[in-house]
Amino acid sequence: MTTESPRVTYDKYVKKLQEIQQFEMMQVEAKILGQEDPVVEEQLRVIREKLIELRGEVPNSILSKFNQLRSKSGSGVIDLLHKKQCGVCRVSLVSDNLKRMELNRIPPNCESCGQFIDVWNK
Amino acid sequence: MLKIKNFVTPDQISFDLEPGTQDEIFAQMIDPLVKSGVVIDKQQFLYDVLQRESHLSTLTQDPCVAYPHAYSQAVSRLGLSIAIPKNKEIYLPGYGEPVQALFMIAIPRYIPTLHLTMLEILNSFVKNKEKFPKFLKQRTQGLTARMLSAYKLPEG
């Protein structure tokens, strides 16, 4: 009897990467605005805790690729644009690959720039 | 490099914001963005802005200025709406001081980092002790827009 190995749920991880990116961006924005009051300090503390939790829920291989992309281009995960284009480099995804990404058969990375693409968010 | 003058137009500047809840204040600021086609779904964008505020306030003190913003599918391109309450005092939750100005930024989801430069320019302008008080006193939207449009980040 053979057992099928569980499929990686990329859709779930991409949603978490979206959240991580948004929370990381909030930290950057607070720094730019020089916010230091107690209300903001408390909110930032909650965000830091949430980030630790979210990062712990994403496999290391996915997280490290995401971190690399973030440090390179500022964005690690992006929406799919109309005409099936990557939101960062604007290269169109091959239809067949896009279908396989949607079915969680291959990682949802742009074939050109490597960006994680939220192919489920249309 | 992002140029602030490309985003500041007189029709996106309001002097007559009505006091109300946070939702009502932000909703008034979204109207010009809807008119100019920057925001294509007002309710969705308002929801996204309120969600963002619920995680982390965008209000700064000294001077008391707010920068409500959100990445949203309801946004077609980067846009800026400015409110300078001149006739009535506007308060946002959690702070006892009236807000001197609000800068609302609409960010499309496909460029999640572009607005950072805009935030940097706006915050630098607001912290400028010579220019910002003059900006608040301008009598027309045209002059207000011109003053902010001319601002450049200090070198270094």
Side-chain angles (χ1 to χ4, degrees), chain B residues 44 63 87 103 149 153:
Chain B
Q44 178 63 53
N87 307 316
F103 298 91
S149 295
L153 273 178

Side-chain angles (χ1 to χ4, degrees), chain B residues 26-39:
Chain B
F26 290 170
Q28 292 174 67
M29 293 195 68
I30 298 173
D31 287 335
L33 294 168
V34 173
K35 271 186 197 157
S36 60
V38 168
V39 170

Side-chain angles (χ1 to χ4, degrees), chain A residues 18 21-23 25-26 29 32-33 35 37 39-40 43-44 47 74-75 78-79 81 87 90 121, chain B residues 52-61 67 69 71 73 95 109-110 112-113 115-116 119-120 123:
Chain A
Q18 291 269 30
Q21 185 162 284
Q22 285 197 5
F23 283 129
M25 205 69 82
M26 286 180 204
E29 290 161 359
I32 288 173
L33 296 178
Q35 293 176 293
D37 64 272
V39 176
V40 169
Q43 289 175 323
L44 282 170
I47 286 173
S75 171
I78 202 89
D79 281 358
L81 296 182
R90 306 297 168 103
N121 188 12
Chain B
R52 166 63 179 78
E53 284 287 324
S54 72
H55 289 298
L56 186 63
S57 166
T58 58
L59 201 70
T60 62
Q61 293 169 316
Y67 303 84
H69 64 272
Y71 321 89
Q73 281 183 313
Y95 291 86
R109 280 179 65 96
Y110 60 86
T113 54
H115 70 293
L116 295 177
L119 263 186
E120 207 177 335
N123 188 54

